[in-house]
């Protein structure tokens, strides 16, 4: 009699066959089933130590083992396939996500289209990739892609409705469709991607291209709007500024032509009005020209080493005629500190700010000029005792042609002085800002870099 229960041994054999089918596949499990049936018959089914395959019990055992091995190996193979497919899909999904991050961050449509084939090759390990756009019949290839992907096949694939996978050639073609309209196609060589991934790739590329085009279109529209706004503002500013001196000049000339009995002093006054009007028009033209040159980059600044005192004295000398008797209170503690600047253009910054402070300050009140050295820059500040700037307007004060609502009719100006100053400061690598309190005045500040000695730079 066997010392082990036959039923227990049978279940143990079944378990071993299941493990063998899971690990070794169908052939291994069938071999294990035959061996298990023979061992079960020889050692555990009477008569012991003999084979008696004709016994129905033997056939039942063998059948049970074979069925178990077949079912087990089939389920194991299916599970392995599912696992492999899931891993493959997860990998492709991750590659699609990484690719989407690159494509959807682009804002320039042409640069995006140039980069798409190379990005596809990098993301999926393809041998080559190409992009065809029906708009302009344009082709874009990854490096070496023109030799791997036929242009005619790529163009023809744009008319397909579904993804085309040519396994024998190792090629895949993905149509890019927006509704019923085709915008192009993608060709990929030897990537081994599933149809679902190829369809998702086509949608992703199409969305990225349309997004980049939309961004460009919005940018163009905004640029046109801004251009029209600036044209209107420029026309308004120039019209207003030209009208005043031209009117005075017209009145003076008309008066002189209509009455030849003016005495010498009267003629001098009329000619003085004409001369002043010409100066104002000339100044306006200079401001427009400066703004245009600064924006286009036509002006090349000549940086040199100058002291803080050089800049301040040059600006005050330039403003001496317009300041009259107004006092300038100075708080300059670092006169000899060297700055790196183009003295001619840097002087214009300070002149603009001092003249502005003079225009808006209460008569008789001083203008305060201070400097401070901090973080490798010299900060210049010009404080006035004027009406201040409304908090709602502070953010727009450096915009071209913008002038405060309360002062645009009371004080002459074009709204170009501060934008010019801002452009010059930024060309020097500095910053400009304003702090203001209504009824107390404003403080305009700008910074210029300190010119350190060569050994300090090293």
């Amino acid at each position: 009699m066997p010392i082990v229960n036959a039923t227990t041994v049978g279940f143990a054999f079944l378990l071993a066959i299941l493990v063998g089918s899971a690990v070794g596949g169908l052939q291994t499990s069938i071999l294990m089933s035959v061996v298990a049936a023979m061992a079960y018959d020889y050692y555990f089914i009477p008569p012991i130590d003999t084979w008696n395959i004709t016994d129905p019990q033997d056939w039942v055992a063998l059948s049970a083992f074979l069925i178990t091995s077949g079912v087990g190996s089939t389920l194991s193979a299916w599970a392995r396939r599912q696992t492999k497919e899931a891993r493959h899909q997860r990998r492709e999904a991750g590659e699609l996500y990484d690719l989407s991050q690159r494509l959807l961050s682009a804002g320039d449509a042409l640069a995006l289209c140039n980069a798409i084939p190379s990005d596809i090759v990098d993301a999926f390990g393809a041998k080559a990739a190409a992009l065809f756009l029906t708009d302009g019949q344009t082709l874009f290839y990854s490096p070496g892609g023109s030799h791997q992907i036929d242009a005619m096949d790529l163009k023809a694939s744009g008319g397909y409705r579904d993804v085309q996978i040519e396994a024998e050639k190792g090629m895949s073609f993905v149509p890019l469709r927006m509704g019923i309209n085709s915008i192009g196609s993608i060709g990929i060589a030897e990537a081994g991607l599933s149809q679902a991934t190829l369809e998702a790739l086509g949608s992703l590329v199409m969305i990225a291209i349309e997004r980049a085009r939309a961004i460009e279109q919005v940018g163009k529209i905004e640029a046109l709007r801004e251009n029209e706004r600036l044209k209107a503002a420029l026309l308004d500013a120039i019209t207003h500024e030209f009208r005043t001196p031209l009117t005075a000049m017209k009145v003076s000339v008309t008066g002189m032509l209509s009455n030849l009995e003016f005495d010498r002093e009267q003629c001098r006054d009329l000619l003085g009005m004409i001369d002043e009007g010409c100066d104002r028009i000339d100044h306006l033209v200079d401001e427009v020209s400066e703004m245009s040159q600064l924006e286009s980059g036509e002006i090349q600044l000549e940086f040199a080493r100058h002291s803080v005192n050089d800049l301040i004295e040059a600006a005050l000398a330039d403003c001496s005629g317009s300041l009259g008797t107004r006092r300038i209170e100075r708080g300059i503690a670092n006169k000899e500190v060297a700055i790196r600047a183009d003295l001619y253009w840097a002087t214009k910054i300070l002149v603009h700010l001092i003249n502005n402070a003079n225009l808006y300050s209460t008569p008789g009140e001083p203008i305060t000029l201070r400097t401070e050295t901090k973080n490798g820059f010299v900060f210049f500040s010009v404080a006035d005792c004027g009406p201040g700037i409304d908090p709602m307007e502070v953010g727009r004060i450096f915009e071209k042609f913008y002038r405060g609502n309360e002062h645009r009719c009371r004080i002459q100006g074009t709204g170009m002085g501060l934008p010019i100053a801002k452009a010059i400061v930024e060309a020097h690598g500095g910053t400009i800002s304003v702090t203001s309190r209504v009824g107390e005045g404003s403080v305009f500040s700008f910074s210029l870099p300190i010119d350190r000695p060569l050994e300090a730079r090293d």
Side-chain angles (χ1 to χ4, degrees):
M1 293 293 293
I3 61 174
V4 180
N5 184 276
T7 304
T8 303
V9 172
F11 281 117
F13 282 171
L14 285 174
L15 179 60
I17 291 169
L18 283 174
V19 173
S21 65
V23 175
L26 182 59
Q27 292 181 348
T28 301
S29 62
I30 290 176
L31 178 60
M32 289 181 66
S33 299
V34 174
V35 173
M38 295 178 66
Y40 190 70
D41 175 71
Y42 188 82
Y43 291 107
F44 299 100
I45 297 177
I48 304 301
D49 297 333
T50 60
W51 279 294
N52 189 17
I53 300 300
T54 58
D55 193 312
Q57 294 185 65
D58 298 334
W59 289 111
V60 170
L62 180 59
S63 299
F65 290 152
L66 290 174
I67 292 171
T68 299
S69 66
V71 172
S73 61
T74 301
L75 291 175
S76 176
W78 178 82
R80 282 196 296 268
R81 286 196 304 271
Q82 291 295 105
T83 301
K84 183 178 180 181
E85 185 177 346
R87 288 176 178 171
H88 184 69
Q89 289 177 350
R90 183 174 63 182
R91 179 178 60 82
E92 289 185 351
E95 292 166 345
L96 270 175
Y97 175 77
D98 293 338
L99 180 62
S100 69
Q101 295 297 103
R102 279 182 280 179
L103 297 186
L104 296 179
S105 63
D108 180 77
L110 180 58
L112 172 66
C113 292
N114 276 313
I116 283 175
S118 297
D119 287 344
I120 292 175
V121 170
D122 293 341
F124 300 107
K127 190 172 183 180
L131 169 67
F132 167 66
L133 296 180
T134 55
D135 185 13
Q137 298 290 299
T138 312
L139 288 165
F140 303 91
Y141 289 100
S142 64
S146 58
H147 302 294
Q148 301 289 330
I149 302 172
D150 185 72
M152 296 304 295
D153 291 341
L154 184 61
K155 292 180 180 180
S157 65
Y160 300 156
R161 297 197 61 85
D162 300 313
V163 171
Q164 302 295 313
I165 301 176
E166 300 178 1
E168 66 281 359
K169 295 182 180 179
M171 294 295 303
S172 301
F173 294 100
V174 184
L176 304 178
R177 306 190 69 85
M178 181 68 69
I180 61 173
N181 298 320
S182 172
I183 69 169
S185 60
I186 302 171
I188 308 174
E190 299 183 18
L193 300 177
S194 65
Q195 181 164 343
T197 300
L198 290 171
E199 290 175 350
L201 174 62
S203 299
L204 173 62
V205 170
M206 182 180 62
I207 291 171
I209 292 173
E210 291 302 312
R211 176 182 175 276
R213 287 175 173 175
I215 291 175
E216 282 190 348
Q217 188 64 25
V218 169
K220 290 178 181 178
I221 293 173
E222 289 300 319
L224 287 173
R225 287 178 179 172
E226 180 66 12
N227 189 41
E228 291 300 320
R229 187 187 71 80
L230 290 177
K231 283 181 180 179
L234 176 62
L235 184 61
D236 178 66
I238 290 179
T239 300
H240 181 270
E241 286 303 304
F242 267 108
R243 182 179 290 119
T244 302
L246 285 175
T247 300
M249 293 165 66
K250 176 66 175 176
V251 169
S252 300
V253 171
T254 301
M256 295 180 70
L257 290 175
S258 61
N259 188 350
L260 301 180
E261 301 300 325
F262 286 122
D263 58 30
R264 189 176 185 86
E265 189 62 31
Q266 289 174 324
C267 288
R268 184 185 298 275
D269 290 341
L270 292 174
L271 290 172
M273 293 176 62
I274 295 173
D275 183 62
E276 182 181 346
C278 290
D279 289 342
R280 285 185 60 184
I281 292 174
D282 185 59
H283 177 68
L284 175 62
V285 172
D286 285 344
E287 284 191 331
V288 174
S289 176
E290 284 178 2
M291 192 75 248
S292 175
Q293 289 176 322
L294 286 167
E295 285 187 335
S296 63
E298 294 179 10
I299 295 177
Q300 298 296 321
L301 300 182
E302 297 180 1
F303 294 102
R305 185 181 177 89
H306 301 281
S307 69
V308 170
N309 192 61
D310 291 340
L311 174 58
I312 292 174
E313 292 301 326
L316 291 177
D318 201 345
C319 295
S320 59
S322 59
L323 289 175
T325 60
R326 191 182 296 277
R327 290 182 296 113
I328 300 291
E329 294 185 353
R330 307 190 195 186
I332 315 299
N334 49 3
K335 292 183 179 181
E336 301 307 318
V337 173
I339 56 174
R340 182 174 179 271
D342 183 314
L343 187 61
Y344 172 79
W345 288 99
T347 301
K348 284 182 174 291
I349 305 169
L350 203 51
V351 168
H352 278 305
L353 298 184
I354 293 174
N355 284 335
N356 262 14
N358 183 47
L359 285 172
Y360 289 94
S361 285
T362 305
E365 295 293 336
I367 295 172
T368 303
L369 176 60
R370 299 184 185 278
T371 62
E372 177 186 7
T373 303
K374 183 169 61 176
N375 299 328
F377 288 85
V378 175
F379 287 80
F380 299 78
S381 64
V382 179
D384 62 52
C385 297
I389 305 170
D390 189 284
M392 299 296 291
E393 297 181 330
V394 169
R396 301 188 61 191
I397 201 69
F398 292 103
E399 291 182 9
K400 286 179 289 189
F401 313 117
Y402 182 80
R403 303 187 66 221
N405 293 324
E406 296 184 8
H407 311 295
R408 64 179 59 187
C409 297
R410 184 170 60 87
I411 297 176
Q412 295 178 353
T414 61
M416 286 190 289
L418 290 177
I420 289 173
K422 181 174 184 289
I424 299 172
V425 169
E426 291 177 347
H428 280 77
T431 59
I432 188 168
S433 61
V434 60
T435 58
S436 183
R437 289 187 179 182
V438 176
E440 298 184 15
S442 304
V443 180
F444 285 86
S445 302
F446 69 94
S447 62
L448 294 175
I450 293 176
D451 189 24
R452 296 178 295 171
L454 290 177
E455 58 271 17
R457 297 180 197 175
D458 298 336

